Amino acid sequence: MISAAVVAAAVGLVVPSAAHAAEPAANHTQDAGEKLATAVEEATKTATFSSPPERSVRTTPATASAAEGTPAAASDHYVGLVTTGSGARTMALSTWVASEKLDAFTVTVDWGDGHTASPGISLTDEFLRFKHTYAKVGTHKITVTATDTLTKTTVTNSVDIVVAGSDFTPHAPTRLLDTRDGTGTSSSQPVAPYGTTRVKVGGTSGIPEGVTAVALNITATGAAADGHIAAYASGTEQPTTSNVNFTAGRSVPNLAIVPVGADGYVELVNRSPGSVNLIADVTGYFARSASSGYTPMDPFRLVDTRDGKGTAKGQVAGQGSFGVQVAGQGELPAAGITAVALNVTITAPKDSGHLTVFPSGQQAPITSNVNFTAGQTVANSVIVPVGPDGKINIRNGSWSPTDVIVDVTGYYSADGKAAYLPLAPERLHDSRKFFWPVDGQDYRYQTLFEPNVTLAGAVMNATVTNTEGSGHLTVAPDPNTREQYGQSKAITPTPPNSSNLNWTKGETVSNLVQASAGKNDIVDFWNRGWERTDLIIDLFGVYAKN
């Protein structure tokens, strides 16, 4: 049974006299495993490296004698090797020894990180296959050495590899694009209906070339008509997914973790019959070099000004700021956090405005994270660097007070074990397709399973539409297994006291979700309202432990 008190603890709901828990259902989701497996395979293809046999280096011991056998000619022995990505930090190696004779060899693999592997005795033209998981992303040298058991002649070949996964580097909140004043673009003009604009990421504002993905807060403002924005890597096809849903005349932000094209650009397409201005603020980027790994968490509430949790009780004054202790709160470590993943909600604002979240020890930037109107309850995902004192700051850019709620979903640190794999945007679920909206106080579970990757979490965009009343969405890992659902033995999970997005009747609202995969690779999407809503889930990437 879901208590009314639990529901009331979330944002902006009027509680009826009784609430009934949703019964578990065996068909609450389509299994996304096949789509995920295909996407991961495509993402790891970038980590394919090889060294042909003709690059082999041969060394004959000076002590070799006729009694030991006649050393082979220089063309007799070769080592070939091919490596392919098999995860965010895992490489699969295929190697073989070619010889003009049916010789036997001992083969040793040096992975370049202090670890080695050796299968014992191998024969000519025998393919040997290995897998190795590196502790960190980045560049490594793999060396294969084959030693002729008779002549002790060694043949060596090596290849420099870069694993497929990426680590996160926090970046001070910085505006990369603003079509209103021409920042980051050639003209100060809104994006035309169904038109595109480009955002330079790699090689600008201190962001290095070659980054794989970027955390952008994208804001649509001054829209002439309803529509949505899709963000994608330059040089790739436009996806069928969406990142920001907006209505005419309203400023709507949403965080997006977007793959970056080979030329360093991200594309934004306006799927609307009217023009719209777009703003893009960066808070960090992903690159295939060691930096900060991700640690997902079960969502928990860090700040609620309505009851004084994590800060002083009472609304944040207009133009006011307050600090938030991040390090050491809940299960967050006391030190080493470089950035934190949050869901920030505004509720009961007295006037229109925006909220800015930024690291302590810095001046408030011109960027924004949440835009709101008077009386609106609205949420947005935020990735913010954490100051050296373990704190962040939150500023109310409105001239009037508002309540602020902050939920934690994960953090980045040098000790973080999960690396990011950007994937081609993929729609996993659309309840409209099946004429199957999510009932009030019910949930839709999404299975995420890929046999070659051990998931820590997933980056998704959740959208509600055709909303029949007010409510909010809560996303959390599911305690049940796929087998329990398949056998109709699943129990109803208990949703956490957190929220990911809020809506009122008739609205279409989206928000980025950095969801923990939990123990069973199943994520729940709870409709915490009392009326039905359609649910759309788009996948943009995964955090993998291997």
Side-chain angles (χ1 to χ4, degrees):
M1 180 71 70
I2 301 172
S3 72
V6 169
V7 176
V11 182
L13 292 182
V14 177
V15 182
S17 58
H20 298 283
E23 294 299 323
N27 297 312
H28 265 165
T29 186
Q30 62 183 109
D31 191 331
E34 184 176 344
K35 290 182 178 180
L36 181 58
T38 300
V40 168
E41 182 180 0
E42 287 296 317
T44 55
K45 279 182 180 179
T46 57
T48 298
F49 305 90
S50 63
S51 186
E54 54 266 27
R55 290 187 58 195
S56 299
V57 176
R58 180 175 176 276
T59 302
T60 302
T63 58
S65 65
E68 296 172 321
T70 304
S75 60
D76 280 350
H77 299 72
Y78 302 94
V79 172
L81 59 153
V82 176
T83 67
T84 56
S86 184
R89 294 180 289 110
T90 300
M91 297 297 294
L93 167 67
S94 295
T95 186
W96 66 98
V97 181
S99 175
E100 295 180 4
K101 300 178 181 180
L102 295 177
D103 293 338
F105 301 87
T106 57
V107 176
T108 301
V109 179
D110 184 340
W111 295 105
D113 64 349
H115 293 83
T116 60
S118 179
I121 302 298
S122 303
L123 300 176
T124 299
D125 296 331
E126 179 183 359
F127 273 83
L128 303 175
R129 292 176 172 85
F130 305 86
K131 274 190 178 181
H132 180 66
T133 300
Y134 290 93
K136 296 293 292 183
V137 303
T139 302
H140 306 275
K141 180 186 288 291
I142 298 176
T143 302
V144 178
T145 301
T147 303
D148 188 313
T149 58
L150 180 63
T151 67
K152 308 305 180 186
T153 299
T154 61
V155 181
T156 300
N157 202 347
S158 62
V159 64
D160 291 322
I161 62 96
V162 184
V163 300
S166 297
D167 271 3
F168 181 75
T169 299
H171 191 284
T174 304
R175 184 145 293 173
L176 298 185
L177 174 75
D178 190 338
T179 60
R180 299 171 302 177
D181 60 15
T183 298
T185 184
S186 58
S187 64
S188 54
Q189 297 291 329
V191 183
Y194 305 105
T196 61
T197 190
R198 288 160 56 84
V199 183
K200 177 65 171 173
V201 176
T204 189
S205 297
I207 303 172
E209 299 280 2
V211 298
T212 59
V214 62
L216 289 178
N217 197 67
I218 302 169
T219 302
T221 187
D226 297 355
H228 67 269
I229 302 299
Y232 57 100
S234 173
T236 63
E237 293 185 4
Q238 288 187 11
T240 59
T241 53
S242 64
N243 295 90
V244 186
N245 293 76
F246 56 86
T247 55
R250 178 176 286 184
S251 294
V252 180
N254 199 18
L255 183 68
I257 296 179
V258 191
V260 177
D263 60 358
Y265 280 86
V266 165
E267 302 271 357
L268 305 178
V269 57
N270 170 24
R271 291 183 177 144
S272 165
S275 61
V276 62
N277 277 303
L278 294 180
I279 304 165
D281 300 326
V282 63
T283 59
Y285 58 86
F286 295 84
R288 292 166 74 178
S289 56
S291 185
S292 293
Y294 186 63
T295 301
M297 306 182 74
D298 288 353
F300 74 91
R301 186 141 293 173
L302 181 65
V303 172
D304 191 336
T305 60
R306 299 173 302 177
D307 60 15
K309 184 175 183 61
T311 187
K313 183 177 179 179
Q315 292 194 316
V316 183
Q319 302 296 305
S321 300
F322 66 98
V324 177
Q325 179 68 39
V326 171
Q329 301 303 298
E331 295 185 4
L332 289 164
I337 300 176
T338 57
V340 62
L342 307 171
N343 202 74
V344 180
T345 303
I346 289 291
T347 190
K350 296 297 188 289
D351 203 349
S352 299
H354 67 273
L355 197 77
T356 300
V357 187
F358 58 101
S360 65
Q362 300 182 13
Q363 294 294 319
I366 63 169
T367 57
S368 62
N369 295 95
V370 188
N371 296 73
F372 52 87
T373 58
Q376 184 185 20
T377 296
V378 59
N380 194 19
S381 287
V382 175
I383 298 176
V384 58
V386 175
D389 57 358
K391 295 182 179 181
I392 60 172
N393 290 329
I394 298 177
R395 180 178 184 272
N396 175 15
S398 171
W399 293 102
S400 299
T402 183
D403 277 308
V404 178
I405 302 165
V406 180
D407 297 322
V408 176
T409 59
Y411 65 92
Y412 300 88
S413 66
D415 294 333
K417 298 299 188 290
Y420 187 61
L421 277 175
L423 305 179
E426 179 77 55
R427 181 145 292 174
L428 296 184
H429 179 78
D430 188 341
S431 66
R432 299 171 302 178
K433 180 179 178 180
F434 307 103
F435 305 103
W436 185 30
V438 186
D439 290 332
Q441 298 305 311
D442 202 355
Y443 70 103
R444 188 78 23 102
Y445 70 80
Q446 182 66 63
T447 301
L448 297 172
F449 175 73
E450 204 287 310
N452 293 318
V453 171
T454 303
L455 291 181
V459 174
M460 297 177 280
N461 206 67
T463 302
V464 294
T465 190
N466 300 322
T467 51
E468 297 180 6
S470 298
H472 69 277
L473 193 77
T474 295
V475 183
D478 192 307
N480 298 292
T481 65
R482 288 175 295 151
E483 289 74 17
Q484 286 174 305
Y485 276 113
Q487 298 169 8
S488 299
K489 295 180 179 179
I491 61 172
T492 303
T494 300
N497 179 29
S498 61
S499 64
N500 292 86
L501 62 89
N502 300 71
W503 67 85
T504 57
K505 183 178 180 179
E507 279 191 317
T508 296
V509 182
S510 60
N511 199 7
L512 184 82
V513 175
Q514 298 220 87
S516 168
K519 297 179 180 179
N520 302 312
D521 294 340
I522 301 176
V523 179
D524 293 335
F525 294 78
W526 279 90
N527 172 9
R528 304 298 301 279
W530 301 102
E531 290 83 21
R532 299 185 307 173
T533 181
D534 274 311
L535 173 67
I536 303 163
I537 305 169
D538 295 329
L539 176 70
F540 294 95
V542 294
Y543 292 102
K545 297 178 183 178
N546 65 329

